[in-house]
């Protein structure tokens, strides 16, 4: 009976009990081998139309352009060599833009199919400047900082109401000594998106509710702030799933949980019974500027853009490094949930500011870092 109820109800998670196999594969996975996979599920396309204000055909076109840009980025970076200054997807030109510090490399980069912008600082120089800023103790009024290839600087995000605070001013001054810095403001300080227990939602650790991220062989990945190593995890129905096998927060915000007790993994992001499910086919990292969607146990599906990578987020519990910032909203209980671009896993929800009524920004921990840290293999379709 528990299995049948699960299939009717759905989860904001990427693992189901054994009845999934008895129910048979989804229509997408049952397609003939020679058929090309759809660019995205109805769930993703519907969410993109809602959150970007575009048509279905425009959403399909954008996903195709972003997939091309994602595949092109490593080739363009090799062509730029030491002059590489970063890259991003431009939604207007529908192309990958690559920054270079040497005009002599522009032709080789353009030959790959990317657009070129000449900048002052290389990615290596900007990364080194950010690393020096990472070593500084940050006050609460400093929200986050990241390398921005478009401005060829390290962008410091300061909470608007705290910009004149003496500690914030002192931090900005020290950051400017570390390298090229641009200061921007944000409406609120970041926070993690864990929540107290709410019956019927995906998983619990003690009295904390979070969302499951992506299936891996043997378990699933999620946010580190949702539980510590060894803690037990319960499913949406209160039954035991497994235990946190590894967890890191702050510094990082990732964890993985083993699956047992009649639960197993499937390579999907569920649509909550109101939209179709999204198959996960890989984890190629989308560029800055690309569209990205999130599934979580509180707010379900929402979409936005990748705003920055390798951003340091200054939570009240401590700084977390190498995060990806997005314009997607989230709320309490969405922590650990899935960020996906097309059919490619991107990361697990960490935290942010705002909500899905008034808007906001959200960070995710890149999934490939989690896989590499724990030696895990993503479960793909």
């Amino acid at each position: 009976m528990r299995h049948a109820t699960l299939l009717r109800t759905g989860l904001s998670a990427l693992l189901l009990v054994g009845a999934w196999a008895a129910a048979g594969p989804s229509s997408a996975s049952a397609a003939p081998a020679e058929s090309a996979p759809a660019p995205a599920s109805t769930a993703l396309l519907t969410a993109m139309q809602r959150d970007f204000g575009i048509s279905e055909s425009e959403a399909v076109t954008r996903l195709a352009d972003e997939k091309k840009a994602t595949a092109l980025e490593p080739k363009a970076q090799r062509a730029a060599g030491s002059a590489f200054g970063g890259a991003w997807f431009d939604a207007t030109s529908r192309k990958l833009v690559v920054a270079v510090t040497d005009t002599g490399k522009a032709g080789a980069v353009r030959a790959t199919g990317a657009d070129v912008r000449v900048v002052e600082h290389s990615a290596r120089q900007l990364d080194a400047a950010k690393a020096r800023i990472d070593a500084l103790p940050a006050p609460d009024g400093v929200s986050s900082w990241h390398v921005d290839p478009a401005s060829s600087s390290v962008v410091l995000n300061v909470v608007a109401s705290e910009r004149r605070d003496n500690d914030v001013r002192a931090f900005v001054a020290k950051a400017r000594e570390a390298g090229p810095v641009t200061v921007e403001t944000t409406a609120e300080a970041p926070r993690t998106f864990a929540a107290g227990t709410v019956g019927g939602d995906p998983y619990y650790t003690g009295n904390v509710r979070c969302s499951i991220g992506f299936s891996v062989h043997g378990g699933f990945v999620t946010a580190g702030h949702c539980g510590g190593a060894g803690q037990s995890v319960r499913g949406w129905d209160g039954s035991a799933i497994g235990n946190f096998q590894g967890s890191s927060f702050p510094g990082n915000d990732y964890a993985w949980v083993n699956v047992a007790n009649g639960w197993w993994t499937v390579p999907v992001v569920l649509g909550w019974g109101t939209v179709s499910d999204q198959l996960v086919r890989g984890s190629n990292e989308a560029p800055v500027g690309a569209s990205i969607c999130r599934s979580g146990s509180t707010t379900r599906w929402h979409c936005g853009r990748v705003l920055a990578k390798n951003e340091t987020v200054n939570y009240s519990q401590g700084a977390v490094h190498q995060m990806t910032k997005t314009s997607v909203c989230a709320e309490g209980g969405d922590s650990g949930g899935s960020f996906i671009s097309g059919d490619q896993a991107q990361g697990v929800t960490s935290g942010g500011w705002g909500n899905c009524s008034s808007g906001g920004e959200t960070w995710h921990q890149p999934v490939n870092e989690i896989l590499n840290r724990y030696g895990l293999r993503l479960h793909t379709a």
Side-chain angles (χ1 to χ4, degrees):
M1 180 62 70
R2 180 166 71 92
H3 294 185
T5 302
L6 175 59
L7 289 171
R8 289 197 302 270
T9 306
L11 295 172
S12 66
L14 296 182
L15 52 131
L16 297 174
V17 290
W20 177 274
S26 69
S27 57
S29 61
E34 64 271 16
S35 298
S41 69
T42 301
L44 262 175
L45 295 176
T46 300
M48 288 180 69
Q49 292 174 71
R50 177 196 65 203
D51 293 339
F52 284 102
I54 58 179
S55 67
E56 181 178 357
S57 62
E58 288 171 331
V60 170
T61 299
R62 175 160 182 157
L63 286 172
D65 292 335
E66 291 172 353
K67 185 175 182 179
K68 181 179 179 181
T70 299
L72 181 60
E73 185 172 0
K75 300 176 186 177
Q77 181 173 352
R78 287 194 295 270
S82 60
F84 180 70
W88 63 94
F89 176 77
D90 188 309
T92 301
S93 67
R94 297 166 48 187
K95 297 184 69 176
L96 183 75
V97 181
V98 176
V100 296
T101 58
D102 181 358
T103 56
K105 293 289 187 178
V109 174
R110 287 194 184 95
T112 68
D115 284 345
V116 175
R117 182 179 297 180
V118 179
V119 296
E120 185 176 355
H121 305 287
S122 70
R124 181 175 297 179
Q125 290 172 323
L126 294 175
D127 287 343
K130 179 182 176 293
R132 290 190 286 271
I133 297 172
D134 283 345
L136 301 174
D140 292 342
V142 178
S143 171
S144 62
W145 53 96
H146 69 272
V147 167
D148 177 36
S151 66
S152 196
S153 67
V154 178
V155 172
L156 297 183
N157 295 290
V158 175
V159 179
S161 61
E162 301 293 327
R163 187 164 186 173
R164 297 184 182 278
D165 178 81
N166 288 337
D167 290 339
V168 171
R169 286 182 171 183
F171 181 86
V172 171
K174 291 180 181 178
R176 292 191 190 281
E177 296 174 0
V181 162
T182 300
V183 178
E184 297 183 356
T185 57
T186 186
E188 301 175 24
R191 66 186 187 281
T192 56
F193 284 127
T197 298
V198 176
D201 278 315
Y203 88 87
Y204 307 92
T205 304
N207 65 345
V208 172
R209 170 170 63 87
C210 282
S211 301
I212 295 169
F214 292 97
S215 288
V216 296
H217 290 272
F220 65 84
V221 293
T222 188
H225 70 263
C226 291
Q231 285 190 273
S232 60
V233 172
R234 307 186 311 279
W236 69 278
D237 60 352
S239 66
I241 295 178
N243 300 85
F244 278 86
Q245 300 297 301
S247 179
S248 179
F249 179 80
N252 307 291
D253 194 4
Y254 51 59
W256 83 280
V257 175
N258 72 313
V259 170
N261 305 305
W263 296 75
W264 66 29
T265 64
V266 289
V268 297
V269 176
L270 291 183
W272 299 89
T274 58
V275 292
S276 57
D277 301 338
Q278 175 64 46
L279 288 171
V280 179
R281 300 185 186 276
S283 58
N284 293 326
E285 188 176 335
V288 170
S291 62
I292 192 168
C293 296
R294 181 192 54 73
S295 180
S297 64
T298 299
T299 57
R300 302 185 178 182
W301 281 98
H302 285 276
C303 296
R305 295 182 300 111
V306 178
L307 299 178
K309 295 183 181 182
N310 190 23
E311 182 153 62
T312 298
V313 183
N314 190 34
Y315 293 128
S316 61
Q317 300 95 326
V320 177
H321 307 288
Q322 297 179 313
M323 303 286 274
T324 296
K325 181 166 68 175
T326 78
S327 63
V328 188
C329 67
E331 296 179 12
D334 286 328
S335 277
S338 322
F339 267 94
I340 190 165
S341 183
D343 57 9
Q344 300 295 305
Q346 298 297 305
V348 300
T349 303
S350 173
W353 62 269
N355 55 53
C356 289
S357 297
S358 59
E361 294 175 339
T362 302
W363 288 271
H364 71 72
Q365 180 84 64
V367 69
N368 287 331
E369 181 182 355
I370 310 172
L371 300 177
N372 292 336
R373 169 63 180 83
Y374 294 118
L376 302 170
R377 187 159 58 97
L378 189 67
H379 191 168
T380 58

